[in-house]
């Protein structure tokens, strides 16, 4: 009798090891195999069984250990041979995480599938810096946009967002920062506040603040790079002073 495989796609949160849900921990503990990405905090793997197989399938410095098609095949083969596969992804797996694609693929092979939502960096990283994405009389909505499409182009949604009064959060956009600045400048938003936060919610967090007109210089001076998120809008000026939540709750 063969193994009845199942897949649980799990959101690992934005980086702080404590920003993980109880349901996610239970999934990790029960996994026979864990396929994990580069952006997860590897401390989370301590919850895995000592008998679980841990496989790194992420991308580092532009180099893929596995292509997406290979990851899909690995999910199916391990589910059939080992049982419960956990696909551990940074942030939330349904926000630019290809979680839905992997579930679709696994289901075509009759594999039972589940998802555990995660806390997205799009909301958590600004929050850790005291930046409210919405605030009464300042911003009544926000966009979350990928900066780079699968064709390595700037998303056309950035131009649409630049026309609005909404807060704009751009993930995976550092390589397109010059283009983003140009798009907002064309809408006469040179003075719009911008925050760039690198490795948010972790001990390695770095940040820079400026405007559309100055942010490229800030990035150069502070040597900011991926992984980082870009927050554009008047809410950046509404940043509130916070004590370090990491220090407050340290064990």
């Amino acid at each position: 009798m063969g193994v009845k495989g199942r897949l649980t796609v799990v959101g690992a949160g934005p980086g702080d090891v404590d920003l993980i849900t109880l349901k996610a921990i239970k999934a990790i503990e029960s996994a026979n195999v864990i396929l994990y990405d580069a952006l997860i905090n590897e401390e989370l793997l301590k919850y895995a069984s000592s008998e679980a197989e841990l496989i790194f399938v992420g991308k580092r410095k532009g180099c893929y250990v596995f292509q997406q098609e290979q990851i899909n095949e690995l999910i199916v083969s391990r589910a059939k041979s080992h049982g419960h596969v956990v696909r551990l992804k940074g942030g939330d797996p349904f926000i630019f995480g290809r979680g839905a694609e992997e579930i679709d693929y696994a289901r075509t092979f009759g594999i039972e599938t589940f998802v555990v939502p995660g806390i997205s960096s799009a909301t958590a990283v600004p929050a850790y810096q005291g930046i409210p994405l919405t605030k009464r009389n300042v911003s009544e909505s926000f966009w979350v946009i990928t900066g780079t499409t699968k064709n390595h182009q700037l998303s056309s949604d950035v131009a649409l967002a630049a026309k609005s009064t909404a807060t704009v959060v751009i993930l995976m956009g550092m390589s397109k920062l010059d283009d983003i600045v140009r798009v907002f400048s064309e809408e006469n938003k040179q003075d719009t506040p911008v925050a760039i936060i690198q490795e948010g919610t972790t001990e390695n967090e770095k940040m820079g603040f400026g405007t559309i007109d100055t942010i490229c210089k800030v990035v150069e001076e502070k040597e900011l790079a991926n992984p980082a998120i870009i927050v554009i809008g008047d809410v950046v000026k509404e940043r509130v002073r916070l004590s370090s939540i990491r220090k407050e709750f340290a064990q």
Side-chain angles (χ1 to χ4, degrees):
M1 186 174 179
V3 173
K4 184 179 179 181
R6 62 186 171 120
L7 166 67
T8 305
V9 177
V10 176
D16 184 335
V17 71
D18 291 330
L19 292 178
I20 187 79
T21 66
L22 291 175
K23 190 174 284 290
I25 290 173
K26 290 175 183 177
I28 293 168
E29 289 173 337
S30 68
N32 301 111
V33 180
I34 298 175
L35 309 181
Y36 65 97
D37 281 346
L39 290 180
I40 73 143
N41 189 323
E42 292 191 16
E43 285 186 47
L44 294 174
L45 299 177
K46 70 184 180 183
Y47 294 109
S49 163
S50 59
E51 298 178 357
E53 181 182 12
L54 309 179
I55 306 174
F56 174 71
V57 295
K59 179 177 72 170
R60 286 191 177 136
K61 294 184 179 178
C63 298
Y64 289 87
V65 177
F66 291 90
Q67 295 294 328
Q68 186 61 49
E69 294 77 11
Q70 294 172 307
I71 295 172
N72 291 346
E73 292 169 2
L74 198 56
I75 288 170
V76 171
S77 65
R78 286 299 194 276
K80 289 185 174 181
S81 63
H82 289 62
H84 184 201
V85 173
V86 162
R87 180 72 173 96
L88 191 58
K89 294 172 165 291
D92 182 277
F94 279 8
I95 298 179
F96 307 125
R98 292 191 171 184
E101 295 175 36
E102 292 169 352
I103 285 174
D104 286 344
Y105 186 85
R107 285 178 63 84
T108 64
F109 290 87
I111 293 169
E112 195 174 20
T113 56
F114 305 89
V115 65
V116 178
I119 296 175
S120 173
S121 63
T123 54
V125 169
Y128 258 44
Q129 285 305 315
I131 299 172
L133 295 187
T134 62
K135 187 176 181 180
R136 189 178 299 183
N137 299 324
V138 179
S139 175
E140 59 190 31
S141 61
F142 63 92
W143 295 60
V144 178
I145 307 172
T146 177
T148 308
T149 67
K150 69 177 182 178
N151 297 321
H152 307 292
Q153 302 297 315
L154 180 68
S155 170
S156 59
D157 284 347
V158 173
L160 296 175
K163 295 178 185 297
S164 77
T165 59
T167 304
V168 182
V169 180
I170 302 176
L171 309 183
M172 300 171 285
M174 290 298 283
S175 66
K176 302 294 184 184
L177 184 59
D178 288 343
D179 293 331
I180 292 166
V181 164
R182 175 183 52 77
V183 168
F184 276 80
S185 295
E186 289 172 354
E187 297 297 330
N188 296 315
K189 293 191 173 181
Q190 292 89 339
D191 296 329
T192 301
V194 182
I196 293 182
I197 308 164
Q198 176 183 328
E199 297 188 71
T201 79
T202 74
E203 292 180 354
N204 300 319
E205 186 173 66
K206 293 172 63 178
M207 66 212 76
F209 297 90
T211 64
I212 287 295
D213 215 22
T214 65
I215 196 62
C216 289
K217 185 177 180 181
V218 171
V219 166
E220 184 178 350
E221 290 174 348
K222 293 186 173 291
E223 299 180 339
L224 298 174
N226 282 318
I229 75 163
I230 303 166
V231 184
I232 304 171
D234 287 336
V235 293
V236 173
K237 292 189 298 187
E238 302 295 320
R239 185 183 180 208
V240 296
R241 227 172 247 286
L242 299 175
S243 299
S244 172
I245 195 168
R246 287 187 296 281
K247 292 178 182 177
E248 179 69 21
F249 296 101
Q251 296 295 319

